Amino acid sequence: MASMRGVRRAPPLSDALATCCCRAPQTLVRRPFAARQARSASTSQQSARPKTAIFFPGQGVQKVGMLTPWLEAFPSTASAIVQEIDDIVGYKLSEVIQEGPNKKLNMTIHAQPAIMATSILILRILEKEFGFKVSERVDFTLGHSLGEFAAIVASGYVTFEDSLYMVQKRAEAMAAATKRAEDEYGGEYGMVAIVTEPEYLQPLISAIHEFVGYSSAGSKSESAEDRSPIEQVLIANINSKNQIVLSGNIERIKTLVAHVRQFLGHDPRAVRLKSDSPFHSPIMKPAVRVMQQILEGKSRVRGREGEDMVMFPGSIPCVSNISARPFESKADLKDLLARGCLETVRWWDSIKFLDQEERVRRWVGIGPGKVGRNLVGKEVGMRGKDTVKGGGVWAVTDPSEIEEVLRGLEETESLVEEEGEEESL
C-alpha cells in the first residue's frame, strides 16, 4: 500500500494484548502486556520495533481528586502506593490531592510532589497490573520540567523514594525563594504562556532577549543577578514551535508582552499558568543550591543508606531538560538536574532530538493531564496510532485510556522504518 511506504513489518509478538473493558474500570481483566522476562532475550525484538519514549508532565496539570479513578479501578495496588507516598513526604499528601481545595493543591509545596507521585503511581499500575516493563518496552524517558523527576525514576537513575524526597525539598526551596522576593521587593510572581504562529517564534524570542538584556541559559543567571527580582523576566520554557513560557514578575511580563506586540506588529496570545512561583528564573537560584546539596548526599532508601542517591548508568537513557540530550554521566545528571530549577526548559529541542535524530516513533505520556501529549503530538505530527508513520502519540491519564494505549503499542509493534526511507513517510 502506498500509505505504508517506508515501513516494514517485523515478526508479530507472541504476547497477546491484555483484554480490558475500560468503560467499567472495576471489570478490567489484567494480563501481561509483554511477558518477556530477560533483557538479553528482548534485544533482537527491540531492534525490530519502532523506538519508543515515555514522558511525564510538569506543574500545572494538578487536579483535585486525580487519584480517584486509580483507587477505584485498582484499589489494592493504588492504595499501597498512596500509603507509600504519604510515608515518604511525612504528611497526608493524598488528602490534599483528593480533597483540596484547589488553592491548597495549587501551592508549589503540594502541587509538585502531588504531580510527580501521581505519575509514578500510574506507571507502577501499568507495570504491576499489565506487566508493562519499561526497561524492555521503552528506549528513552523524559519529563517536562518537574516531570524530569518521574523520568529519572522510570529510567532507573534514582529510586521513587529519593526522587519524591528531592521534589518535596525542591518545591519547598522554590516556594521560599518566591516568598523572599515578595517580602523584599513586593509584586506578584508567576508564569505566562505565550502562544504565537510558528513563523513568529524566533523573532519573538529575539525581541524578548533584546528587551530583558540577556539571551543564553548560561548568561541569564549572571546578568539577572544585577537586577532586583521585580525587574526579572525570563524565558522559562520553549515548549513547541509556537509556544514559550515567560517567568517572573507578572506586571513586568505584561509590559514585555505589550512591548513585543508593538515591536513585532503581532498579537501573541498570553495565558496565565497555574503557578504561584516564577520557575526557571534567577529568583530560583537558592533552590539550585538546595538541590546540589541533596544530590551530593546519600540515599534515604532502607538498605541503601550509605550509597550515592544517583545510580549510573540507568536502565535506559533519560533526556535532560537543560541539554536536550541524554544524561552522560552521574556528574552530568547531578549538575543538570540541579540547574533545572533555574535554566530554560528546552522541551521543543528535546522532542526534535528524539524525533529527528533518534527516530523515536511511539510516544506515551504518563501522568495527570494531556498538555504533554498535545505538545508532543503537535511537534511530531501524530495523534494516537499512526500506521503511516509507524507509531503514535498516546497518553495514560485515566484508567479508561489504558486499552487504547496498549492496543496502539501492540498494533504498531511490527511497524519499522526501512533505513533510508524516512523522506518517503
Side-chain angles (χ1 to χ4, degrees):
M1 295 186 348
S3 63
M4 295 297 292
R5 186 183 175 193
V7 175
R8 65 178 172 85
R9 290 193 174 275
L13 287 177
S14 59
D15 303 304
L17 172 67
T19 302
C20 57
C21 177
C22 290
R23 293 182 181 277
Q26 66 275 16
T27 66
L28 284 170
V29 179
R30 296 176 284 279
R31 303 189 189 115
F33 171 52
R36 291 168 290 185
Q37 299 300 313
R39 176 76 172 173
S40 59
S42 69
T43 302
S44 61
Q45 294 183 20
Q46 283 187 334
S47 64
R49 64 162 170 77
K51 284 187 179 179
T52 306
I54 57 174
F55 56 95
F56 300 89
Q59 190 161 344
V61 300
Q62 65 271 11
K63 181 181 178 182
V64 172
M66 61 187 175
L67 293 175
T68 298
W70 301 101
L71 288 164
E72 291 178 348
F74 310 99
S76 178
T77 300
S79 295
I81 300 170
V82 166
Q83 183 60 56
E84 181 183 2
I85 291 167
D86 288 345
D87 289 344
I88 293 171
V89 298
Y91 70 101
K92 289 286 186 179
L93 175 61
S94 59
E95 289 186 2
V96 179
I97 297 173
Q98 291 299 92
E99 301 173 12
N102 280 320
K103 184 176 182 180
K104 186 174 184 178
L105 178 58
N106 288 343
M107 294 171 62
T108 296
I109 58 171
H110 301 310
Q112 290 195 10
I115 294 164
M116 185 272 189
T118 302
S119 297
I120 295 299
L121 178 143
I122 295 172
L123 179 63
R124 281 194 173 178
I125 286 173
L126 287 174
E127 292 172 335
K128 293 186 177 183
E129 301 286 351
F130 296 91
F132 184 88
K133 297 182 182 301
V134 173
S135 62
E136 297 176 8
R137 307 297 304 162
V138 176
D139 300 284
F140 295 94
T141 70
L142 66 163
H144 189 271
S145 187
L146 164 70
E148 194 166 58
F149 289 86
I152 60 174
V153 173
S155 280
Y157 291 104
V158 181
T159 66
F160 175 44
E161 180 175 343
D162 284 335
S163 190
L164 183 55
Y165 171 75
M166 278 195 287
V167 168
Q168 183 181 17
K169 296 305 177 183
R170 175 182 186 263
E172 291 171 358
M174 286 180 157
T178 302
K179 187 176 187 306
R180 187 178 302 114
E182 291 171 341
D183 291 345
E184 293 184 15
Y185 299 95
E188 181 184 6
Y189 299 87
M191 305 177 79
V192 176
I194 306 296
V195 183
T196 185
E197 299 300 322
E199 61 267 27
Y200 284 103
L201 185 68
Q202 290 305 323
L204 173 65
I205 292 173
S206 297
I208 292 171
H209 287 161
E210 179 180 334
F211 184 74
V212 301
Y214 36 89
S215 57
S216 72
S219 67
K220 74 179 186 181
S221 58
E222 298 166 5
S223 302
E225 281 185 350
D226 297 330
R227 303 179 177 211
S228 68
I230 202 167
E231 296 178 330
Q232 297 172 5
V233 174
L234 298 166
I235 297 178
N237 307 57
I238 301 178
N239 283 335
S240 69
K241 57 191 172 186
N242 72 329
Q243 184 193 116
I244 64 173
V245 174
L246 300 179
S247 179
N249 177 268
I250 295 300
E251 287 302 316
R252 184 74 168 166
I253 291 175
K254 291 179 180 178
T255 301
L256 173 55
V257 172
H259 168 84
V260 166
R261 285 169 175 160
Q262 181 179 9
F263 183 81
L264 292 182
H266 174 60
D267 188 15
R269 185 161 59 97
V271 181
R272 179 79 181 267
L273 302 182
K274 288 195 296 183
S275 168
D276 60 2
S277 294
F279 306 127
H280 312 294
S281 78
I283 294 173
M284 296 292 110
K285 195 162 187 177
V288 175
R289 291 191 289 270
V290 169
M291 287 299 300
Q292 288 171 336
Q293 292 170 359
I294 293 174
L295 285 162
E296 288 304 321
K298 302 301 180 182
S299 173
R300 295 169 55 83
V301 177
R302 183 174 298 177
R304 292 195 70 244
E305 293 92 344
E307 299 179 32
D308 199 315
M309 184 176 289
V310 176
M311 299 169 284
F312 202 94
S315 55
I316 54 176
C318 177
V319 177
S320 163
N321 279 312
I322 305 306
S323 68
R325 294 295 185 274
F327 296 112
E328 296 181 351
S329 66
K330 182 182 290 189
D332 185 54
L333 188 152
K334 291 181 178 182
D335 176 53
L336 294 175
L337 202 63
R339 286 164 53 190
C341 300
L342 173 66
E343 298 186 21
T344 301
V345 172
R346 297 171 58 193
W347 187 249
W348 187 29
D349 287 339
S350 298
I351 300 304
K352 286 191 293 183
F353 164 71
L354 292 178
D355 177 51
Q356 298 172 15
E357 297 186 35
E358 291 294 337
R359 309 301 298 173
V360 167
R361 287 294 169 264
R362 301 192 299 184
W363 309 77
V364 182
I366 296 176
K370 296 182 180 180
V371 175
R373 186 197 67 177
N374 294 337
L375 287 174
V376 172
K378 184 186 302 181
E379 178 56 37
V380 304
M382 288 190 283
R383 290 287 193 278
K385 186 179 68 174
D386 189 330
T387 55
V388 174
K389 293 193 175 184
V393 179
W394 300 273
V396 181
T397 65
D398 183 271
S400 64
E401 295 166 325
I402 295 175
E403 179 182 18
E404 176 191 359
V405 174
L406 297 188
R407 191 170 301 282
L409 290 175
E410 180 76 6
E411 292 174 352
T412 57
E413 189 77 7
S414 59
L415 299 177
V416 185
E417 289 179 356
E418 293 282 8
E419 192 170 339
E421 291 289 341
E422 299 91 5
E423 296 303 320
S424 66
L425 293 179

